[in-house]
Amino acid sequence: MEFTIGQIASLLKGKVEGNPDLKVSRLDKIQEGQPGGISFLANEKYEPYLYQTAASAVIVSEEFRPSKSISTSLIRVKDPYLGFTQLLEAYAEFNKAALVGVEQPSFIDESSSIGSNAYRGAFSYIGKNCSLGQNVKIHPQVYIGDRVKIGDNTIIHAGAKICADTQVGANCEILPGAVIGSDGFGFAPQEDGTYKAIPQLGNVIIEDQVSIGANTTIDCATMGSTIIKKGAKIDNQVQIAHNVIIGENTVIAAQAGISGSTEIGKNCIIAGKAGIVGHIKIADQTTIGANTGISKSIKKSGETLLGYMGMEMKSFLKSYSIFKNLERLENRIRELEKKP
Amino acid sequence: MEFTIGQIASLLKGKVEGNPDLKVSRLDKIQEGQPGGISFLANEKYEPYLYQTAASAVIVSEEFRPSKSISTSLIRVKDPYLGFTQLLEAYAEFNKAALVGVEQPSFIDESSSIGSNAYRGAFSYIGKNCSLGQNVKIHPQVYIGDRVKIGDNTIIHAGAKICADTQVGANCEILPGAVIGSDGFGFAPQEDGTYKAIPQLGNVIIEDQVSIGANTTIDCATMGSTIIKKGAKIDNQVQIAHNVIIGENTVIAAQAGISGSTEIGKNCIIAGKAGIVGHIKIADQTTIGANTGISKSIKKSGETLLGYMGMEMKSFLKSYSIFKNLERLENRIRELEKKP
Amino acid sequence: MEFTIGQIASLLKGKVEGNPDLKVSRLDKIQEGQPGGISFLANEKYEPYLYQTAASAVIVSEEFRPSKSISTSLIRVKDPYLGFTQLLEAYAEFNKAALVGVEQPSFIDESSSIGSNAYRGAFSYIGKNCSLGQNVKIHPQVYIGDRVKIGDNTIIHAGAKICADTQVGANCEILPGAVIGSDGFGFAPQEDGTYKAIPQLGNVIIEDQVSIGANTTIDCATMGSTIIKKGAKIDNQVQIAHNVIIGENTVIAAQAGISGSTEIGKNCIIAGKAGIVGHIKIADQTTIGANTGISKSIKKSGETLLGYMGMEMKSFLKSYSIFKNLERLENRIRELEKKP
């Protein structure tokens, strides 16, 4: 889509210096600006680029005084970085809202309903007795199993699979290839060494404003629900096992894994590749470092843990710094042993 | 689906106390029981819920004597937990068996065949010269490449991809998004620093009663076969490289990875995030802990290994307990050094 | 497909001993050879199989002199291993080239174009304003978002998702279930403890001759581009975050993860499950061992790193060998402490 510089200035409550009728259709870095693009200048380190940029417009601060002549148009605002961010958001919102209607072929069981202003992409599948809200965007090749509920404004990206009985709140975003609500990993060992599948009859509940990354997997509960609470943000390739509860506003980075029935508090940060065993509780505001393993409940909130078997961060770093020079330590012992 | 309490009692060989014509359509936890649901009471800790539950029926033991009045119907059986499990299984079986027929549009090459009582979901794809057994359930958006064979009663869930030449046994279950039989990672370094792909012409063989988790990847062999033997259970996001062999009844938890040409024995347990290098053998009944790295063959069966470079578990835990206090160890050396 | 032994000999510039009109349609290991298959004998260890094999033909060296009678046909070439490899490659190439045309139903926006000799599988989706080259193979259930560019001869396997604005070079191969160009994981913490999504408006650029593994995820840049340079080879279930740059001919094994804005040099080798933090640079020709964590830039090229917090390999192995016997070290200290 295209906007005039005047329209953008009006959105940002700023003033145009230059031609307000010039059209832009792209957001560029100032050092890579090209005609048709709009950039911003917030950090004076980048000021030299302003005098060279081919961008059609640059957002600058109200106070900014150029030291050389400028060929691009300017939009003056109070805070150029904030202004640019608003523009990014408006652009993203616009892109999302633009998707409306039904592409064919797509599949929806007649017992299911979807609200107004929705999008259903080609090859998307919606099973029986589903209820999808307004402005919901179901991208191509998405799978929605039976009895799924999805709240208003939620976006399910290409090829994500939302299995039967899952509930997804409003304003959520589920990225491509994520699998929500497939069977948990439950097998009962038999006397002859084989395993028998334990039926997984629960579901997944995802509350409002949750993001789920690409190719992430969240298993349904054995009974009851696996729950991802309001505002949680989950990155790509995360594994969340059956009956786990993730607290409000908890952030989980890529390739982390949470084993069955564990409960994570709110406002926690779990870094990439961290692994947490099953059946434990992690207190609110816990930070768990990259590739850290956690095998016991964390009861005190606000701690930071690190290491193969999650230790308090400072202790771990101290121990690891000695580990790095263990040979020196051994040499000191050898010297002591030589003493008479 | 709905059943009467009488029908369920008959399935479980139990006796009804209350109205046998009441209908239930759901399995509830006793503490969350609602009308239309059936629960069970096996652990006396939960007895107080029996007097409050709104569930339509509760399965109890033959000997159970209530201490207060009860408003729900009872089904008396020998072992209430076992009875409830039977009910879970019957429910799950019923759900699976109910899926029959072909949804449109779906794609099957005319050279391929599929047995009776099968299901092919919308947007599923079946290539050339495939042979699929009876009661096979191919969910929506599943991909089946050329010359694939699938045994009776096997279920392939939404969006799983079974690439060319793969053989899947009977009574298997492959969860959404799994990729079976795509090219192994084989590249020959060239003199100029580039890499040349080594053609991957083998296949994957999955024997009977195997489960494969969501978004798990199993590569085809370079030549010959990558083999997952009978009864193996593999969780979500596991990576199994080309020419690997997984033994009978071996269990592999989420996010573990097995490198090329490694052979895992039978009845092993491999915990989440464990990593095993290529070209080694792991003895039967080996247990490999979470996030453990294994770089050498394990020859003695029945061992438990743990740690970044897989050690026998007790040794690792001993070493790690000292590692946690390495500073104290260093202080003791410093004290010794101060001695005259 | 079938070829005569004479046709194959002609391809390999070899000579037939036996019937040149016999047909073969399969490549077999010599110890598993069956009628209709062709094998090779390069290592004398396998010579005994030559006298037993049921393969229709075996490729041998020009100099080879059998010690017993042979029932199979021979193709004599200079280097039998090289010859067989050429055959493998020809076979693989043939298989790929054979896929031409459009299966229905498939979806392509009328604003998009695709070159000659291409393949579009059933249920594949191509959005608006895409430009796809000659010989491009789009397998079933592939998703191609708006404004995607794909170079000649590139193959996108079943169910891979190439999101909007991604650019893929020529001669690339993207395996099933990979997700390229979905939103990066960027959220700005708000004062009330919630997070706000930062719009991700950049793209992914994949240069020529790149391979991407099954279920791998590569995020689009926040602004600008995430770049995978020429000749890089990336295995299954790898995670590459927004604004990462991967250098030419760098190889990344399964389940490794690279955090945002990190720049990896050329001709690096990153082993399975390795994790690299964001905003650092890794020098050319760096080797990073399996499950290694890297938290600082590597400035010297040609190093090999290993361990939970990436150390130079030899130092790590030395430290780890002492760690394995930390109890013995502690005992030595205890003995010293007992001295008067």
Side-chain angles (χ1 to χ4, degrees):
Chain A
M1 84 241 87
E2 283 188 334
F3 297 95
T4 66
I5 292 171
Q7 286 171 322
I8 289 170
S10 155
L11 172 77
L12 304 182
K13 296 179 181 132
K15 276 187 202 165
V16 178
E17 257 169 52
N19 179 358
D21 298 329
L22 222 57
K23 284 176 178 166
V24 294
S25 63
R26 217 178 45 247
L27 302 154
D28 286 345
K29 289 185 190 177
I30 192 165
Q31 62 270 44
E32 299 168 356
Q34 294 298 324
I38 179 165
S39 303
F40 76 105
L41 174 65
N43 183 330
E44 58 185 34
K45 212 173 74 182
Y46 289 89
E47 186 178 327
Y49 293 112
L50 177 65
Y51 309 113
Q52 305 161 9
T53 193
S56 299
V58 177
I59 303 170
V60 299
S61 79
E62 289 172 351
E63 295 80 22
F64 174 73
R65 295 293 159 255
S67 60
K68 301 186 188 176
S69 74
I70 294 176
S71 58
T72 179
S73 293
L74 298 181
I75 300 178
R76 291 187 176 277
V77 299
K78 261 201 186 131
D79 179 341
Y81 181 72
L82 185 67
F84 193 69
T85 304
Q86 288 171 332
L87 202 56
L88 286 181
E89 286 167 3
Y91 181 94
E93 280 306 308
F94 187 91
N95 267 338
K96 286 173 187 175
L99 269 178
V100 172
V102 179
E103 292 169 353
Q104 290 302 353
S106 54
F107 184 102
I108 182 167
D109 189 88
E110 58 187 13
S111 59
S112 290
S113 67
I114 186 164
S116 62
N117 209 30
Y119 166 65
R120 289 194 292 117
F123 317 123
S124 64
Y125 181 97
I126 299 176
K128 298 181 174 67
N129 299 305
C130 293
S131 163
L132 283 64
Q134 293 189 343
N135 303 314
V136 165
K137 312 297 179 188
I138 303 297
H139 282 254
Q141 301 152 340
V142 162
Y143 171 80
I144 311 260
D146 297 342
R147 298 173 301 278
V148 167
K149 288 189 172 60
I150 297 183
D152 293 346
N153 310 314
T154 283
I155 303 171
I156 316 285
H157 288 269
K161 285 123 208 130
I162 316 296
C163 298
D165 298 301
T166 299
Q167 296 178 24
V168 183
N171 300 300
C172 291
E173 194 149 359
I174 297 182
L175 296 189
V179 175
I180 313 297
S182 70
D183 274 4
F185 193 61
F187 295 93
Q190 306 296 298
E191 282 184 8
D192 62 356
T194 64
Y195 289 85
K196 195 173 172 185
I198 297 165
Q200 304 289 314
L201 295 166
N203 74 342
V204 174
I205 297 176
I206 293 176
E207 297 185 355
D208 298 345
Q209 278 130 36
V210 169
S211 279
I212 309 284
N215 284 351
T216 279
T217 51
I218 303 179
D219 288 348
C220 77
T222 307
M223 288 187 67
S225 299
T226 303
I227 304 175
I228 314 296
K229 294 201 173 164
K230 193 173 168 180
K233 308 295 179 192
I234 298 176
D235 199 356
N236 296 348
Q237 295 189 40
V238 171
Q239 151 72 2
I240 295 181
H242 51 90
N243 294 84
V244 163
I245 298 175
I246 305 292
E248 282 188 28
N249 302 320
T250 279
V251 172
I252 304 181
Q255 297 179 320
I258 321 282
S259 301
S261 300
T262 280
E263 196 170 327
I264 311 280
K266 61 184 181 185
N267 294 94
C268 293
I269 295 175
I270 299 176
K273 290 183 176 293
I276 302 182
V277 301
H279 299 277
I280 64 170
K281 284 194 184 195
I282 305 294
D284 296 347
Q285 276 131 2
T286 299
T287 298
I288 296 175
N291 208 2
T292 295
I294 301 291
S295 54
K296 290 178 191 164
S297 288
I298 308 298
K299 288 168 187 169
K300 205 179 130 201
S301 77
E303 288 201 313
T304 298
L305 295 122
L306 204 58
Y308 183 81
M309 298 183 83
M311 292 165 57
E312 187 278 320
M313 183 170 69
K314 275 186 194 162
S315 307
F316 176 80
L317 291 175
K318 184 66 204 174
S319 284
Y320 207 86
S321 72
I322 301 172
F323 168 83
K324 283 164 99 166
N325 292 296
L326 264 186
E327 192 174 12
R328 204 184 299 160
L329 207 70
E330 193 182 29
N331 288 340
R332 285 164 69 185
I333 294 172
R334 194 168 297 130
E335 286 305 308
L336 286 165
E337 286 168 337
K338 282 182 194 163
K339 281 193 192 175
Chain B
M1 84 241 88
E2 281 188 333
F3 297 94
T4 67
I5 292 172
Q7 286 172 321
I8 290 171
S10 154
L11 172 77
L12 304 182
K13 296 180 181 131
K15 275 187 205 166
V16 178
E17 256 168 53
N19 180 358
D21 297 330
L22 221 60
K23 284 175 177 167
V24 295
S25 63
R26 217 178 46 245
L27 302 155
D28 286 346
K29 290 186 190 177
I30 192 165
Q31 61 271 44
E32 298 168 356
Q34 293 298 325
I38 179 165
S39 303
F40 75 106
L41 174 65
N43 185 330
E44 57 185 34
K45 212 174 73 182
Y46 289 90
E47 187 179 327
Y49 292 113
L50 177 65
Y51 308 114
Q52 305 162 9
T53 191
S56 299
V58 177
I59 302 171
V60 299
S61 79
E62 290 173 351
E63 294 79 23
F64 175 72
R65 295 291 158 258
S67 60
K68 300 186 188 177
S69 72
I70 296 176
S71 57
T72 178
S73 293
L74 298 181
I75 300 179
R76 291 187 176 276
V77 299
K78 259 199 189 133
D79 179 340
Y81 181 71
L82 185 68
F84 193 69
T85 305
Q86 286 171 332
L87 202 56
L88 286 181
E89 286 167 3
Y91 181 93
E93 281 306 308
F94 187 91
N95 267 338
K96 287 173 186 173
L99 268 177
V100 173
V102 179
E103 291 170 353
Q104 291 301 353
S106 53
F107 184 103
I108 182 168
D109 190 88
E110 57 186 15
S111 60
S112 291
S113 67
I114 184 163
S116 63
N117 208 30
Y119 166 64
R120 290 195 291 117
F123 317 122
S124 63
Y125 181 97
I126 299 176
K128 298 181 174 67
N129 299 304
C130 293
S131 163
L132 283 63
Q134 294 188 341
N135 302 314
V136 163
K137 312 298 178 188
I138 303 297
H139 281 254
Q141 300 152 341
V142 162
Y143 171 81
I144 312 262
D146 298 342
R147 300 174 300 279
V148 167
K149 287 189 172 61
I150 297 183
D152 294 345
N153 310 313
T154 283
I155 303 172
I156 315 286
H157 288 270
K161 286 124 208 129
I162 316 296
C163 299
D165 298 303
T166 298
Q167 296 177 24
V168 182
N171 299 300
C172 291
E173 194 149 0
I174 298 181
L175 297 189
V179 175
I180 313 297
S182 70
D183 274 5
F185 193 62
F187 295 93
Q190 306 295 298
E191 281 181 10
D192 61 356
T194 64
Y195 289 86
K196 194 173 172 186
I198 298 166
Q200 304 288 315
L201 295 166
N203 74 342
V204 174
I205 296 176
I206 293 177
E207 297 185 354
D208 299 345
Q209 278 131 35
V210 168
S211 279
I212 308 284
N215 284 351
T216 279
T217 51
I218 303 179
D219 287 350
C220 77
T222 308
M223 287 186 67
S225 300
T226 303
I227 304 175
I228 314 295
K229 293 201 174 164
K230 194 174 167 179
K233 308 295 177 191
I234 298 175
D235 199 356
N236 296 349
Q237 295 190 39
V238 171
Q239 151 72 3
I240 295 181
H242 50 89
N243 294 84
V244 163
I245 297 176
I246 305 291
E248 284 187 26
N249 302 320
T250 278
V251 172
I252 305 181
Q255 298 179 321
I258 321 283
S259 302
S261 300
T262 279
E263 196 170 326
I264 311 279
K266 61 184 179 184
N267 294 94
C268 293
I269 295 175
I270 299 176
K273 289 182 176 292
I276 302 182
V277 301
H279 299 277
I280 65 170
K281 284 194 183 193
I282 306 293
D284 296 346
Q285 276 131 0
T286 300
T287 299
I288 297 175
N291 208 4
T292 295
I294 302 291
S295 55
K296 291 179 190 163
S297 287
I298 308 297
K299 288 168 187 167
K300 205 179 129 200
S301 77
E303 289 200 314
T304 298
L305 296 122
L306 203 60
Y308 183 81
M309 297 184 82
M311 292 164 58
E312 188 278 318
M313 183 173 68
K314 274 186 195 164
S315 308
F316 175 79
L317 291 175
K318 182 68 204 172
S319 284
Y320 207 86
S321 72
I322 301 172
F323 168 84
K324 284 164 99 166
N325 291 297
L326 265 185
E327 192 173 12
R328 203 183 302 160
L329 206 71
E330 193 182 30
N331 287 340
R332 286 164 68 185
I333 294 171
R334 195 169 296 130
E335 285 307 308
L336 287 165
E337 286 167 338
K338 281 182 194 163
K339 281 193 191 174
Chain C
M1 83 242 87
E2 282 188 334
F3 297 96
T4 67
I5 292 171
Q7 286 173 323
I8 291 170
S10 154
L11 171 77
L12 304 182
K13 296 179 182 132
K15 274 186 203 165
V16 178
E17 257 169 52
N19 179 359
D21 297 329
L22 221 58
K23 284 175 179 166
V24 294
S25 64
R26 218 178 45 246
L27 302 154
D28 287 345
K29 292 185 189 176
I30 191 164
Q31 61 271 43
E32 299 169 355
Q34 292 298 325
I38 179 165
S39 302
F40 76 105
L41 174 65
N43 183 331
E44 57 185 35
K45 212 174 72 181
Y46 290 89
E47 187 179 328
Y49 293 112
L50 176 65
Y51 308 114
Q52 305 162 8
T53 192
S56 299
V58 177
I59 302 170
V60 300
S61 80
E62 289 172 350
E63 295 78 22
F64 175 72
R65 294 291 159 256
S67 60
K68 299 186 188 176
S69 74
I70 295 176
S71 57
T72 178
S73 293
L74 298 181
I75 299 178
R76 291 186 176 277
V77 299
K78 261 202 186 128
D79 178 340
Y81 181 72
L82 185 68
F84 192 69
T85 304
Q86 287 172 332
L87 202 56
L88 286 182
E89 286 167 1
Y91 181 93
E93 280 305 309
F94 188 91
N95 268 338
K96 286 172 186 176
L99 268 178
V100 173
V102 179
E103 292 169 353
Q104 290 303 353
S106 53
F107 184 103
I108 183 167
D109 190 87
E110 58 187 14
S111 60
S112 291
S113 67
I114 185 163
S116 62
N117 209 30
Y119 166 65
R120 290 195 289 118
F123 316 124
S124 64
Y125 181 97
I126 299 175
K128 299 181 174 65
N129 299 305
C130 294
S131 164
L132 283 64
Q134 293 188 342
N135 303 314
V136 164
K137 312 298 178 189
I138 303 297
H139 282 254
Q141 300 151 340
V142 161
Y143 171 80
I144 311 261
D146 297 343
R147 299 173 301 279
V148 167
K149 288 190 172 60
I150 297 183
D152 294 345
N153 311 313
T154 283
I155 302 172
I156 315 285
H157 288 269
K161 286 124 207 129
I162 316 296
C163 299
D165 298 302
T166 299
Q167 296 177 24
V168 182
N171 300 301
C172 291
E173 194 149 358
I174 297 181
L175 296 190
V179 174
I180 313 296
S182 70
D183 274 4
F185 193 63
F187 294 93
Q190 306 296 299
E191 281 181 11
D192 62 357
T194 65
Y195 289 85
K196 194 173 172 186
I198 299 165
Q200 303 289 314
L201 296 166
N203 74 342
V204 174
I205 297 176
I206 293 176
E207 297 185 355
D208 299 345
Q209 278 131 32
V210 168
S211 279
I212 308 283
N215 285 351
T216 280
T217 51
I218 303 179
D219 287 348
C220 76
T222 308
M223 288 186 68
S225 300
T226 303
I227 305 175
I228 315 295
K229 294 203 174 163
K230 193 175 167 178
K233 307 296 179 192
I234 297 176
D235 199 356
N236 296 349
Q237 295 190 39
V238 171
Q239 151 71 2
I240 295 180
H242 50 90
N243 294 84
V244 163
I245 298 176
I246 305 291
E248 282 187 27
N249 302 320
T250 278
V251 171
I252 304 181
Q255 297 178 319
I258 321 283
S259 301
S261 300
T262 280
E263 197 170 327
I264 311 279
K266 62 183 179 185
N267 294 94
C268 293
I269 295 175
I270 299 176
K273 289 182 176 292
I276 303 181
V277 302
H279 299 276
I280 65 171
K281 284 195 184 193
I282 306 294
D284 296 347
Q285 276 131 0
T286 299
T287 298
I288 296 175
N291 209 2
T292 295
I294 302 291
S295 54
K296 290 179 189 164
S297 287
I298 308 297
K299 288 169 187 168
K300 205 179 130 200
S301 77
E303 287 201 314
T304 298
L305 297 122
L306 203 59
Y308 184 82
M309 298 184 82
M311 294 163 58
E312 187 278 318
M313 183 172 67
K314 275 187 195 162
S315 308
F316 176 79
L317 291 175
K318 183 67 204 173
S319 284
Y320 206 85
S321 72
I322 301 172
F323 169 82
K324 284 165 98 167
N325 292 296
L326 265 186
E327 193 174 10
R328 203 182 301 160
L329 207 71
E330 193 182 29
N331 287 340
R332 286 164 69 183
I333 295 171
R334 194 168 298 130
E335 286 306 308
L336 287 165
E337 287 167 337
K338 282 183 194 163
K339 282 192 191 175

